Amino acid sequence: MRKIPLDKIRNIGIIAHIDAGKTTTSERVLFYTGKNYKIGEVHDGAATMDWMVQEQERGITITAAATTCKWKDITINLIDTPGHVDFTIEVERSLKVLDGAVVVFCGVGGVEPQSETVWRQADRYGVPRIAFVNKMDRTGSDFFAAIDQIHERLGANVAAIQLPVGKEGSFNGLIDLVDKKFIHYEEDLGKEFQVKDLLEEMNADFEKYRAILVEKVAEADDLIMEEYLHGRAVSNEALKLAIRRSVIANKFVPVLCGTAFKNKGVQMVLDAVKDYLPSPLDVPPVKGTNPDTGDFEEIKADDNSPFTALCFKVATDPFVGKIFFVRMYSGVLTAGTYIYNASKRERERVTKIVKLHANHQEMTDSIATGDIAALVGLKDTKTGDTLCMEKNPILVEAMRFPDPVIQQAIEPKSKDAQEKLGMAMHKLEDEDPSFRVTYNQETGQTLIAGMGQLHLEIIVDRILREFNVEATVGAPQVAYRETIRKSVSSVGKFISQSGGRGQYGHCVIEMGPQETPGTGITFEDKIKSGSIPREFIPAVKQGVIGAAKNGVLAGYPVTDVKVVLVDGSFHDVDSSELAFKMAGSIAFQEGMKKANPVLLEPIMDIEVVVPEEFMGQIIGDLSSRRAKIIALGQRLNLRTIRANVPLSEVFNYATVTRSLTQGRASYTMEPSFYSEVPAQVAEKVVSGSTNVNARKTF
């Protein structure tokens, strides 16, 4: 039985660049909604949503944490996401299942590199959002500069729905541009505030920015445009409804301001979540594919529709084992039910259902459409799998996970440690799809790979402390890729007559470079004559995909290659799936050798913020690291330098910037794309690689 009307649910995430105040904002939300009786502080290691030991020690968010709270007449399912680029997968999989987002910006830093990343992720999933310019009490904060940056750098149609009253240390209130009110904070906790009529000296600013707001909303909403063109006044209620329609349609982003740390403005953010962000009924139906027919179907947000959910995260709980975070798209699910994993084509049983509050759990008998909760008891489910009923199978579009850009060796110190290490890494791979494990047969090394140095630091720390593994860890190395530069035809033939039944598999493939970088390996079947029976074609694909894990130059994974199966032959008795899998593998490996293979390296998007007197040293140093300067800018009295630079050239870059600028520069960096390695550099990488022999998944 549904307890909360579907139109009163808000599934939202809080996303931001690191240090914008995202987790502090989340903690204030929990306090003001009554979920927490006291405020947890990030700097004290007491933030509720940062519950991992590593989060509390470092003062950063590492894993997305979920909770449920109430504000006025709505229920908010809230996900607090990391701000550091190394953990961007947590943002990615959260946005996949959310209906709306609060994007937090620093009032001083404005739009920062990771701000752009999370904004693009929200764009990719079509997530409506509101913006909160935080830290308005900080020296150098500039509300209107932040709005301009959101418009210019992110391409958003934005306007303020509030104005700050006071500046920097004197910031003490807000002007509400929708309801024409002055919100005045008088005490430190910010729990108590007064809503007053505007003071006389506020009217001019109100009229100016209210007009801008109406104009921006009119660009997105036809009803307001009609009023605007006829010069008619727009009522507060009409404006509020138009803002809601425009936000839900992803045509407008309202901007609020405040200081979460000083407890000002957060209640207005909650009001904006209620007023402007969508319920599950307001967003377009999720589209899926029937795995049996291949037909597209819409999943209607309705309790009476068949049960459909997406598993967007897997975590390990010390008491109940694995828990599976799900977003309910339709139907009702009760504990004890047998369900169907359409991605794996396996039946699963839900033994328990829990509502989450960070790492705390609350048992519940059932969940319904629009809910975000966790399931216990599943065996084979992974992140990105669709859960449904067997008689109503459907597949929701799976999430794409980024390829790791950095790797390092880890060696157990004993046989007992080896077993513990294997168990730890299997669990961590289940939890984190951006973490990969491979095994080098030549050196006997286990290699772990991730999205950056911090990502691997956290992984290693968890392996050593959480799983009590005694191990030696090597230095980080670049995770290169291999690809090809020309199209070729290649034959794979596997024939074995070693006594008993023979083996025969034969395929012909055409392979060439992908037009779009980042596409990965694609496989297309163009067998029309029956030269290969249909039941063996998946085996050819498996062989191709398996061979692509190890390139021919230095054993690095192959990417951005299109493979087309065009011909082959079979034997009535000796052909088997194994034989065709081997044939596919041979064809791909031989084709790689003929197709002008090249080495690719990860290129990072780096932004350095530096006092002007050190700008020349930083640019000169970046140029010596094969960097390409793409933009120069200014942020208050500091200069910004944006560049693309190979990851191999910026290991331990923090030490370099400190040395060159007397510790006065800062930088952020994130993976951007892969690019061909210059010949002289590639030669060194290939000759020095320990990855010559094939690697297999651990």
Side-chain angles (χ1 to χ4, degrees):
M1 191 74 180
R2 171 169 292 282
K3 299 175 182 177
I4 304 163
L6 202 49
D7 66 339
K8 300 299 183 183
I9 292 177
R10 301 290 185 271
N11 291 319
I12 68 163
I14 300 184
I15 58 178
H17 182 90
I18 192 170
D19 289 334
K22 169 185 54 54
T23 297
T24 301
T25 302
S26 297
E27 293 297 319
R28 296 320 188 259
V29 166
L30 297 182
F31 177 70
Y32 291 124
T33 59
K35 191 70 180 182
N36 285 356
Y37 69 93
K38 66 176 183 178
I39 296 174
E41 300 293 5
V42 177
H43 59 274
D44 292 335
T48 303
M49 304 297 274
D50 286 348
W51 56 269
M52 291 176 63
V53 172
Q54 291 80 5
E55 293 176 316
Q56 295 170 353
E57 289 177 350
R58 297 168 183 258
I60 60 171
T61 303
I62 294 170
T63 185
T67 191
T68 300
C69 54
K70 296 184 182 294
W71 179 251
K72 297 183 176 177
D73 64 338
I74 64 167
T75 294
I76 302 172
N77 294 317
L78 173 69
I79 297 180
D80 177 35
T81 64
H84 196 285
V85 66
D86 282 17
F87 309 104
T88 189
I89 184 64
E90 295 287 330
V91 182
E92 185 86 14
R93 57 185 177 183
S94 299
L95 286 171
K96 172 72 176 177
V97 300
L98 293 173
D99 301 324
V102 178
V103 190
V104 181
F105 297 90
C106 173
V108 180
V111 176
E112 298 173 277
Q114 185 66 0
S115 309
E116 294 188 49
T117 301
V118 299
W119 194 273
R120 288 196 299 270
Q121 289 172 306
D123 281 342
R124 184 158 57 248
Y125 293 113
V127 177
R129 67 216 78 155
I130 61 177
F132 176 54
V133 179
N134 191 27
K135 302 188 178 184
M136 291 303 302
D137 60 314
R138 297 275 294 274
T139 301
S141 60
D142 191 328
F143 180 59
F144 300 106
I147 292 177
D148 289 343
Q149 289 179 30
I150 296 170
H151 171 66
E152 293 165 5
R153 294 181 63 169
L154 305 178
N157 178 29
V158 294
I161 61 171
Q162 298 174 344
L163 300 180
V165 177
K167 191 175 181 181
E168 300 175 345
S170 63
F171 173 74
N172 66 2
L174 308 162
I175 295 173
D176 186 332
L177 294 176
V178 178
D179 288 329
K180 195 176 182 179
K181 294 294 181 181
F182 170 36
I183 298 153
H184 183 228
Y185 287 88
E186 293 183 331
E187 46 95 15
D188 290 340
L189 272 180
K191 194 169 185 177
E192 302 295 330
F193 56 87
Q194 291 183 323
V195 179
K196 305 177 179 180
D197 292 332
L198 297 187
L199 304 177
E200 183 66 31
E201 61 267 26
M202 297 175 176
N203 285 322
D205 280 344
F206 171 82
E207 295 295 338
K208 175 183 176 180
Y209 290 101
R210 166 83 174 214
I212 294 172
L213 172 61
V214 171
E215 183 181 346
K216 292 291 185 180
V217 175
E219 292 176 11
D221 188 87
D222 290 342
L223 293 178
I224 297 299
M225 176 60 79
E226 186 175 346
E227 299 294 302
Y228 180 77
L229 291 175
H230 286 87
R232 293 193 287 262
V234 178
S235 71
N236 298 350
E237 188 59 30
L239 181 58
K240 186 174 290 186
L241 291 172
I243 293 173
R244 177 174 180 80
R245 290 192 298 269
S246 303
V247 170
I248 292 173
N250 265 311
K251 294 181 178 180
F252 177 68
V253 178
V255 187
L256 301 92
C257 61
T259 167
F261 184 64
K262 296 290 182 65
N263 313 294
K264 297 178 176 69
V266 178
Q267 297 98 326
M268 283 71 244
V269 172
L270 287 165
D271 284 341
V273 168
K274 173 183 181 298
D275 292 337
Y276 305 130
L277 289 181
S279 76
L281 292 173
D282 297 315
V283 295
V286 175
K287 295 181 179 176
T289 307
N290 187 310
D292 297 332
T293 65
D295 296 335
F296 287 99
E297 298 178 7
E298 287 189 344
I299 303 168
K300 188 178 179 182
D302 187 343
D303 290 347
N304 296 315
S305 296
F307 155 70
T308 307
L310 183 74
C311 175
F312 66 95
K313 179 172 177 168
V314 180
T316 302
D317 184 271
F319 302 104
V320 300
K322 286 185 182 178
I323 59 174
F324 302 82
F325 291 63
V326 296
R327 160 67 194 265
M328 292 281 292
Y329 287 119
S330 63
V332 176
L333 180 66
T334 56
T337 303
Y338 281 94
I339 60 175
Y340 185 63
N341 184 327
S343 306
K344 300 288 191 301
R345 294 184 177 264
E346 297 281 348
R347 291 183 82 201
E348 297 265 37
R349 184 172 182 265
V350 180
T351 58
K352 297 177 182 176
I353 302 174
V354 295
K355 293 285 188 126
L356 298 166
H357 179 47
N359 65 327
H360 302 292
Q361 302 165 9
E362 178 186 333
M363 295 292 181
T364 184
D365 293 332
S366 65
I367 48 176
T369 304
D371 285 342
I372 292 175
L375 310 182
V376 180
L378 310 186
K379 303 296 184 186
D380 299 316
T381 297
K382 304 287 186 184
T383 298
D385 287 355
T386 302
L387 304 173
C388 53
M389 303 309 291
E390 193 166 4
K391 63 181 180 181
N392 300 108
I394 194 164
L395 278 170
V396 177
E397 183 184 1
M399 290 172 272
R400 289 185 62 190
F401 303 121
D403 289 328
V405 297
I406 190 171
Q407 63 185 25
Q408 63 190 125
I410 183 167
E411 298 297 326
K413 293 183 178 180
S414 65
K415 187 174 181 180
D416 180 59
Q418 176 72 54
E419 293 176 1
K420 284 186 177 180
L421 179 63
M423 182 180 68
M425 290 193 298
H426 279 305
K427 287 184 177 179
L428 291 169
E429 279 190 298
D430 284 342
E431 290 183 15
D432 184 354
S434 64
F435 169 63
R436 311 281 171 81
V437 183
T438 55
Y439 183 72
N440 187 307
Q441 290 180 312
E442 182 182 69
T443 64
Q445 287 182 319
T446 299
L447 299 170
I448 58 175
M451 299 307 299
Q453 285 180 270
L454 180 60
H455 186 199
L456 286 188
E457 279 180 27
I458 298 297
I459 290 287
V460 168
D461 189 58
R462 290 187 65 189
I463 289 171
L464 300 180
R465 289 204 288 174
E466 189 175 320
F467 296 96
N468 296 313
V469 177
E470 293 183 347
T472 303
V473 183
Q477 299 175 333
V478 175
Y480 293 95
R481 295 286 181 271
E482 298 182 26
T483 193
I484 57 177
R485 286 290 177 254
K486 73 176 184 180
S487 299
V488 297
S489 178
S490 181
V491 177
K493 188 173 284 187
F494 181 74
I495 303 173
S496 176
Q497 297 291 342
S498 57
R501 179 182 171 182
Q503 295 283 353
Y504 182 92
H506 168 226
C507 67
V508 181
I509 64 173
E510 293 176 352
M511 50 193 292
Q514 294 277 15
E515 293 181 4
T516 306
T519 309
I521 305 294
T522 61
F523 181 89
E524 185 179 355
D525 167 26
K526 285 192 175 181
I527 297 288
K528 295 179 180 177
S529 62
S531 55
I532 299 178
R534 305 305 306 172
E535 64 264 29
F536 294 140
I537 289 173
V540 178
K541 181 179 180 180
Q542 287 176 17
V544 167
I545 299 300
K549 292 180 180 178
N550 316 108
V552 297
L553 292 174
Y556 290 106
V558 181
T559 188
D560 296 341
V561 175
K562 181 180 180 180
V563 178
V564 182
L565 179 62
V566 295
D567 203 1
S569 63
F570 70 101
H571 190 279
D572 288 334
V573 177
D574 292 345
S575 285
S576 66
E577 288 187 1
L578 174 62
F580 275 99
K581 183 177 179 180
M582 294 300 297
S585 178
I586 293 166
F588 187 85
Q589 289 175 333
E590 293 302 312
M592 281 287 297
K593 295 174 184 176
K594 300 187 293 181
N596 187 18
V598 294
L599 201 65
L600 302 176
E601 63 181 343
I603 304 297
M604 312 301 285
D605 189 347
I606 189 171
E607 184 178 81
V608 185
V609 181
V610 59
E612 187 158 4
E613 61 261 39
F614 301 108
M615 189 174 174
Q617 292 96 310
I618 292 293
I619 290 176
D621 179 73
L622 284 171
S623 298
S624 72
R625 298 171 187 273
R626 298 193 283 128
K628 179 183 179 183
I629 306 297
I630 56 177
L632 300 175
Q634 189 143 356
R635 188 176 298 165
L636 300 176
N637 59 340
L638 300 172
R639 299 300 300 269
T640 60
I641 305 160
R642 197 156 186 182
N644 291 144
V645 59
L647 173 61
S648 61
E649 301 285 352
V650 284
F651 279 133
N652 299 314
Y653 191 62
T655 304
V656 175
T657 57
R658 283 196 296 268
S659 173
L660 290 175
T661 66
Q662 301 174 12
R664 295 174 65 190
S666 62
Y667 75 95
T668 53
M669 184 167 62
E670 63 177 307
S672 184
F673 57 92
Y674 273 83
S675 179
E676 187 173 335
V677 179
Q680 67 274 19
V681 179
E683 188 176 334
K684 292 180 182 177
V685 174
V686 172
S687 63
S689 174
T690 60
N691 304 301
V692 176
N693 284 10
R695 292 180 289 174
K696 64 181 180 180
T697 301
F698 184 86

